[in-house]
Structures are given as structure tokens and as C-alpha cells.
Amino acid sequence: PISGIWYWCTDQVMVQRVLSAKSVSASQSACVFAGWLKLTPMFMMVLPGLIAAALYPEEMRRDSNRAFAVLVAKLLPAGWQGPMIAVMLSSFMAALASCFNSCSTLFTMDIYAERYPEHTERELVVVGQVFTVVLAVVSIAWLPVIDSSGDELFMYIQSMQLIWSSPIVAMFFGAVLCTRLSSRTAWLAMTTGIGIGFVFWLLRSGLPHGYRLESLQSFCVLYFAIVQFVFCVVLMGVCSWLECRADATDEETLQILERCPSLKRTASLDSVKQDLAG
């Protein structure tokens, strides 16, 4: 559920499309329809893998990520292999284009536009295009890391998403449910959770095999998502409580200064706060 909430409620790929709908009802209907479409991967991804494991166990034992490619190469006639490969490549391109577009929008609108408020529309377009090219180059350079991870591709994607999904979901719930949550507390909890998730990913699959922790290889990444989420929620709760205490102390100090004009002229806020603490 944590990864699901992150994807459906906070992921830019989904949020950007929902916000572009013409009305609230249209966006809600689109989300429901997309949710039903999410049931199809069970038949498009899991079943072909099971069929490939039953028909070609040796190939799957060597590399299970090639299940669909093995089925296409060995079962389809020669005339159907080309169209199927074209369909696969077009779906990959559509998914990558959507991801790159979302990342480019986040960078240009939330980072570059905020840092340079006197920008022009043409400048934003150029910056977005350059960022997309850089992101594509980094993605291609990251392929050897994925190949050396040793995990199945689906599990590798899940472990990568868990670096940031749980902290973002915790911050999302905190912002919705807690009106006193400050941006500083939310930022602290999110960055700390992402740092812990990055360390977990490094020790589990990011580092070379000789440097990984063997105890984490069999640890389910979904369990880690729950632990990471609870930690971020507790951290936000503690930081919010400390901020509330500090705000209460400042309010009490100001009330004392308002009741005592002479004290207000001679004493500073810090000195009164020290007297209250003592």
C-alpha cells in the first residue's frame, strides 16, 4: 500500500496527468480507469514469465529477465517477431518519454523557475530539453549498475523506488492530517528517510557483491518500506512536538513582556526565556 499511495497520489507521472484534466470528475474517472488497467500486468507480465519458466527452464535459470524475449524469439513465427519487437520498443519509448517529461517538468518549474524568476518561456523550454538529454545519458550509463545488481528487474525497480516512496508518503500524510506540520519538519523527515533508504539500497544491491550485507539479501524490501514509513512518521511527530513546545515558550515570553512594559524596555526576549527555563 505504501508504494501504491506514492504512485497514485504523489508520483509526478500520475499527478501531472491528473492536474491536466478538464474537471475533477474527469480526473477521478481517469484514475479509476487507470486502476482497472493496472490489473492487466498480472496477465501481461506474470503469466509469460511462468510459461517461459515451464518451457525453457535452463534459459530462465540463467537470466529470468529475458522471459518475454525468449518467448518471442522461440514461439512466434518469423513474420510476427518484427511487429512484436516494434510493439515492445514503442511501449518502452512511451514509458520513458512520460518519465523524462515528468522529471523535466519538476526540474524546470520547481527548481529552475524558482531560482531564476526572470526566466522566459523559451528559456524554460531549452532548460527542459537539456535536462532531458542529461537524464537520458545518465539512464544509459546506469545500465551496467542494473546488470551487476543480480536481482530480477522487477525487484530491482521496487528496491529503487523504496528509497524515496515511504518518506514521501509519510510527508504526504503528515501534510494532509496535521495542520501544525511545518515545512522544516517535513523536509527533515523526508531527507532523513531518503538517506536511510539510499543506505539500505547500497548495502543490499548497490555495492559490488563483496561489500553487500548478506543478511539484507533475503530481507523483503516491502518490510523495509513499512519500517522506513514508521520511522519517518515518528520523526515528524517528535520534531513537531518539540516545535510546539518552543512556540509555547515564545508565546509565554511575549505575554510576560506585554504585561510588564518596564520589563519589556529593559529585558530582551532571550533573557526572559532563560529565566523561564530556570
Side-chain angles (χ1 to χ4, degrees):
I2 295 176
S3 298
I5 294 173
W6 164 76
Y7 178 78
W8 290 103
C9 300
T10 62
D11 188 17
Q12 179 68 9
V13 175
M14 293 298 300
V15 173
Q16 181 176 337
R17 297 175 179 178
V18 171
L19 293 179
S20 63
K22 63 180 181 180
S23 63
V24 176
S25 60
S27 62
Q28 292 173 342
S29 301
C31 289
V32 173
F33 180 69
W36 282 106
L37 290 180
K38 275 297 180 179
L39 299 177
T40 57
M42 174 66 185
F43 306 97
M44 294 189 300
M45 299 173 61
V46 178
L47 290 183
L50 295 177
I51 295 172
L55 296 179
Y56 311 105
E58 294 298 329
E59 289 86 344
M60 295 301 99
R61 193 174 295 110
R62 288 194 298 266
D63 188 6
S64 61
N65 293 323
R66 298 181 64 250
F68 193 77
V70 169
L71 291 178
V72 171
K74 294 192 175 185
L75 294 182
L76 291 181
W80 285 96
Q81 293 180 3
M84 183 58 67
I85 294 175
V87 170
M88 292 174 58
L89 291 178
S90 63
S91 65
F92 294 158
M93 292 173 61
L96 289 176
S98 177
C99 181
F100 289 160
N101 179 60
S102 300
C103 294
S104 176
T105 303
L106 283 175
F107 178 78
T108 54
M109 302 307 296
D110 292 345
I111 298 178
Y112 186 85
E114 293 292 332
R115 187 175 180 83
Y116 302 99
E118 299 179 355
H119 60 273
T120 61
E121 293 296 328
R122 176 61 182 171
E123 187 178 353
L124 288 180
V125 172
V126 173
V127 170
Q129 292 173 344
V130 172
F131 183 78
T132 301
V133 172
V134 173
L135 191 62
V137 173
V138 173
S139 301
I140 296 174
W142 194 259
L143 292 177
V145 180
I146 299 176
D147 186 61
S148 63
S149 64
D151 284 339
E152 297 178 357
L153 185 58
F154 181 78
M155 294 304 299
Y156 181 83
I157 295 174
Q158 292 295 318
S159 62
M160 281 291 295
Q161 291 177 350
L162 290 178
I163 295 177
W164 58 80
S165 61
S166 295
I168 292 178
V169 171
M171 184 180 64
F172 176 75
F173 273 120
V176 172
L177 301 177
C178 182
T179 57
R180 297 184 62 89
L181 182 67
S182 64
S183 59
R184 182 174 57 183
T185 298
W187 178 257
L188 175 64
M190 187 183 70
T191 53
T192 305
I194 291 177
I196 295 174
F198 182 72
V199 172
F200 174 81
W201 172 79
L202 280 179
L203 296 178
R204 188 180 184 275
S205 57
L207 295 175
H209 290 278
Y211 298 93
R212 300 177 185 177
L213 289 181
E214 295 296 332
S215 58
L216 295 180
Q217 302 303 312
S218 59
F219 187 75
C220 181
V221 294
L222 299 180
Y223 293 159
F224 173 76
I226 298 175
V227 174
Q228 188 184 21
F229 175 78
V230 172
F231 172 80
C232 292
V233 171
V234 172
L235 180 60
M236 283 194 300
V238 172
C239 292
S240 296
W241 178 72
L242 293 176
E243 284 187 345
C244 290
R245 289 198 60 184
D247 293 341
T249 302
D250 292 340
E251 184 177 355
E252 184 179 357
T253 303
L254 292 175
Q255 290 177 357
I256 293 176
L257 292 176
E258 290 294 334
R259 290 196 301 266
C260 303
S262 60
L263 182 63
K264 185 177 181 180
R265 291 192 300 267
T266 59
S268 63
L269 181 63
D270 292 334
S271 62
V272 176
K273 288 170 65 176
Q274 291 177 1
D275 294 339
L276 288 175

